Every structure is written in C-alpha cells, then in structure tokens.
Amino acid sequence: MTQSCDIAIVGSGFSGSLLAMVLRRLGRSVVLLERGSHPRFAIGESSTPLANLLLEEIARRYDLPRLLPLCKWGTWQRDYPQVAVGLKRGFSFYRHTFGASFMPANDRVNELLVGASPHDAIGDTHWYRPDFDHFLVCEAQTLGAIYHDRVELTGADFSRHGVRLTGRRNGAPIEVDAEFVVDATGPRGFLHRVLRLSEHSFRAYPATEALYAHFRNVRRMDESDEWRRTNEIPPFPPDEAAVHHVFDGGWVWVLRFNNGITCAGVACTATVARRFRLADGAAAWERLLAELPSVAPLFADAQPVTHFTHAPRLSFRSGAAAGDRWALLPSAAGFVDPLLSTGFPLTLLGIIRLAEVLEKTWRRPDEMHDRLHHYADQTLAEVDAAARLVAALYASMSDFPLFARLTLLYFAAASFSEVARRLGRTRPPLSFLLHDHPTFGPAVRACCDDVLSGGTSDPAVRNRVMQRVTQAIEPFDIAGLSAESRRNWFPVLADDLRGAAGKLSARPAEIDRLLARCGFTPIAS
C-alpha cells in the first residue's frame, strides 16, 4: 500500500491527533500512523489550567467546536459523559518519612495545597488517555485525516522532494510519501531513532526511574481517619487533585478518574529505585508501600487493572527538535518528570507554534527552515527550564519547606501566564515558566543553581534562596502565593486576582468581566 499526503504524523496520541485536526482545518492532507490501536493505555494524564486554556485557544482558532467541552470538568461531564475523566481542583503535596506515619502539623509545614479552580464546574481534569486519545483520533478521521493503526515503521528516506516512510501494516508493506513528517511518538521515538539524533542529559539532573499502573478500589484520603481533619476545611478536596506523596528522593502520584480507575505510580532517583528494585514491578510497589504507612492503607484493597510499567530512564532530551522536512513535537523532543504536570502545556504550546510554522511557510523552504530552527530552540529551551526546576525540587525533597517554596516559582509563572493570555496580554509572547523573562528567568536559575550546587546545606544560603523565591514571584503573584498567613494552603479567590490587576496592566472592572466570562461567578470571594 502506498499513499501520498502533505504531512505524515507518526503517533496518534492526543498530540498527534490534535495536530492532525488542526492541519486538516488548514487544508493540508494528513496521514496519521499508529503503532498500536485505540483504545490503549498511555501515561501522562494530569492537565492544568494553562493546558486547558491552550486547548481552548486551539479549538477556537482552528474552528474545532467539539473540543471546547473538553476544556472544563463541567462541560466535559455534560457533553461527553461517555469519555472517562478525572476532576482536578488543584495540587496536593504531603511530606513523608520512610517507616513513619504522616502527621499533619499545626503550621502545615509538611503539606502544600494549591488550588486551580474555585468550584467543580470550571475545574481542571485528568485525561483518561484510553478514552481521550480514542475520542481525538476519531475526531481527526471525521475531519478527513487518513488513519492507519498497527503500523510498524522501519525507515524514513528524506530527499529534496519530500519524505518516504516505509514499514509494514498487518504484515503487508506500507509506504507513505509526504512533504513533511511530524513525530508525536514520545521520548526516544521514531524520528529520534531513524535519524540517529543525539540524546543529551539535563544539566545537574538526577538519573530517575518510574513504576506505574492503573488500579481499581483505591481508597480516598477523606475516607480515612488518619487523613481526615476535624478543625480545618482545605481549599479543595485533596483527593480531587494531582496528589503527590513526597519522600527523600522521590514521590508517589495518585490521579482519580470518574470510571473507578486510579492512576498511581512512583518516580524516584536511581538510588531509591535500586533500594526497592523497581524492575520487579508489583513486588517493588508493595515494598515501597510498606515503607509509607499512611499511603499503604489507601491501596489495601486496590487491584491493578494494567500491568506495572517500569521506566528505567524516565527523563529524556533529544539533541535536536526539527530539521528540513521534519519536526518533533515537544512530547517527543523531551520529557522531564510528571512532578509538576508540565508535559501537557509544553506539548500544546508546541502544537500551536508548529501549526503556525506550517501554515505561514508552507512550500517556502528558506522561510520554513528559519522558523523551524526557532521552533526547535524554543522547544528545547523550555524543556531545559522545566528540567532545571524539577531537578532543584528533587534535590530539596528532604527539606520540605524549601521544596514547597520552590514549587511556588512554577505556580506563580503558570497562573500569571494563564490570566495574561485570557486578557490578551501576550506581547511579547510569554514563554513557558517565563524562563526568558529578564528578571524572573535569572531569579529562577539562581535559586535552582544554589540548590543544585548543594549550597542550601548552609543556613545562610538556604535563607537567601527562600527570600529570593519570594522576591521573584511577588511581581507575578496573582494568587496570594506570597501570603505566609495562608500556611501552605492556597485557595482560588477572586479578591487575589482583583488585587493583582495592576500586575497584569488591567483594571479591576476588566478582571471582573474576565471572572464572569470564565464562569468564576459568584464573583464574591
């Protein structure tokens, strides 16, 4: 079988299928190639406010109205109840010590709750990828993308006329001739292999591994006396979040879906991975839970519904992200860690940028070459920025107050970027985590460098980092993150946003209209 198209996309996960839909709206012919078949298990399931906003921007810009309900929990439930999803009201972090039960502290120094939405209707989501990816690949086909599953590609022949992809489908030869090819297969994917691209290490980043699966019957924390609070009401139900159980050298995540499935796993340094022998799968998971006596009861009745997956090399960075007639989406160019849910917004930003390149420079090779070079530089710089912060977080897991303070760099940048985009304040364009901002970017790098150099073992250096984080986020803090009186619990309050209107070059009345438009109402906090 031989087919011709303008653009071939390898990989039909959410990013490949979404890009296929965009390119069809731009009038390009698309062939979408998948090694497996849908529905199928995939990891990477926690969305964020910025990711949902970027999905909304894509839907509106490219006339994809059927995607709009997927941008909020409430509309998703109303319009697509058959597509499983999880409610994410924020991020929950808890500090654990191996062999000891978690004990809430009066000053909450061993926990961090950061809200992402004021109520369920406009809450964020965990994307249950078997259903979500299947939905998107069906939408891409409806828009005219040609889809082939069970394709094992073996080669890519580039010439000045185009690209010929070769392989087999169901045992029979398949060839696809395209003018351009996009890799959406993930880390160490198809183009990385066939083009023999180099793999670079993130600077000062620890070697990490992961082990994960899907489960049924995972108990909620608010059903357990050990976790239930009697005197304080948290800013959101802690289970309805991306839950992080942090310990020295790693963390356990828990993401709940509305179909009874829970995604859970551990990411950790190689030292911790060796201690629990993660390659053993289910047995390693049980060994880990035995050392976390407050987490283990949550899984007492849980049964895995997928095989445990062991990722012996979790982080990845390609040495290149684009070239003549090809590009890697950010999800294929680099992966850091699921710790801050950075993968979705990075990839969605990449889809927007690459779509613009292909739209504005199609069949203008010199201009396309320059724009692709810029796209690659942006993509890798943003992955590097995320890796620098996550590396600093791994290095501070034994000092939870420092860990919690460093995470505020992420939350300040992400929340500021989201609201600025909603207000149309995007000139100059906002980079991910504001990494190229003239003051915020250098401040983040300085904080991370101090941590990664081991300098925070000196109390004076540690105090300097804590103060520097507070100073760095203050001009961008629109969510009350600088308020120490909140003692590591940060709800989403309209008054915080109104009070920060000046930081966004906006008037309070403009903020009120934004809140009403986004469904924040009732506006009163």
Side-chain angles (χ1 to χ4, degrees), residues 380-390 432-433 435 444 448:
L380 295 175
E382 290 182 343
V383 172
D384 288 341
R388 184 184 301 112
L389 179 54
V390 172
F432 186 64
L433 296 181
H435 79 94
V444 173
C448 293

Side-chain angles (χ1 to χ4, degrees), residues 51-70:
N52 283 336
L53 172 60
L54 294 170
L55 181 61
E56 180 182 340
E57 288 185 7
I58 291 170
R60 295 190 186 281
R61 181 182 302 186
Y62 296 104
D63 187 25
L64 299 168
R66 284 179 53 80
L67 299 185
L68 289 173
L70 301 171

Side-chain angles (χ1 to χ4, degrees), residues 34 91 128 142 172 181 186 217 222 268 270 282 288 311 352 367 399 428 491:
E34 168 62 38
F91 290 75
Y128 182 65
T142 299
V181 61
N217 300 324
D222 56 20
C268 59
L288 174 66
I352 291 172
E367 187 178 352
D399 182 351

Side-chain angles (χ1 to χ4, degrees), residues 34 97 170 191 196-197 220 241 249 308 328 358 407 415 446 469 480 516:
E34 168 62 38
T97 300
N170 293 331
L191 284 181
R196 298 182 180 180
L197 302 179
R220 291 175 61 94
F308 278 88
L328 309 181
L358 295 173
T407 64
S415 57
V469 171

Side-chain angles (χ1 to χ4, degrees), residues 78-101:
R78 182 194 68 202
D79 289 11
Y80 301 123
Q82 77 282 10
V83 181
V85 63
L87 173 59
K88 180 178 180 179
R89 288 285 308 281
F91 290 75
S92 306
F93 299 84
Y94 301 95
R95 162 66 182 171
H96 296 263
T97 300
F98 284 139
S101 296

Side-chain angles (χ1 to χ4, degrees), residues 170-228:
N170 293 331
I174 182 173
E175 294 181 347
V176 176
D177 291 326
E179 295 192 38
F180 195 90
V181 61
V182 178
D183 190 332
T185 57
R188 304 176 185 91
F190 172 68
L191 284 181
H192 183 80
R193 296 192 306 272
V194 300
L195 295 176
R196 298 182 180 180
L197 302 179
S198 60
E199 180 173 343
H200 294 189
S201 298
F202 295 116
R203 190 181 71 82
Y205 196 88
T208 54
E209 301 183 23
L211 180 70
Y212 49 85
H214 279 173
F215 299 81
R216 285 197 183 276
N217 300 324
V218 176
R219 196 175 181 188
R220 291 175 61 94
M221 290 188 293
D222 56 20
E223 296 172 348
S224 169
D225 290 338
E226 188 169 11
W227 288 95
R228 190 180 296 117

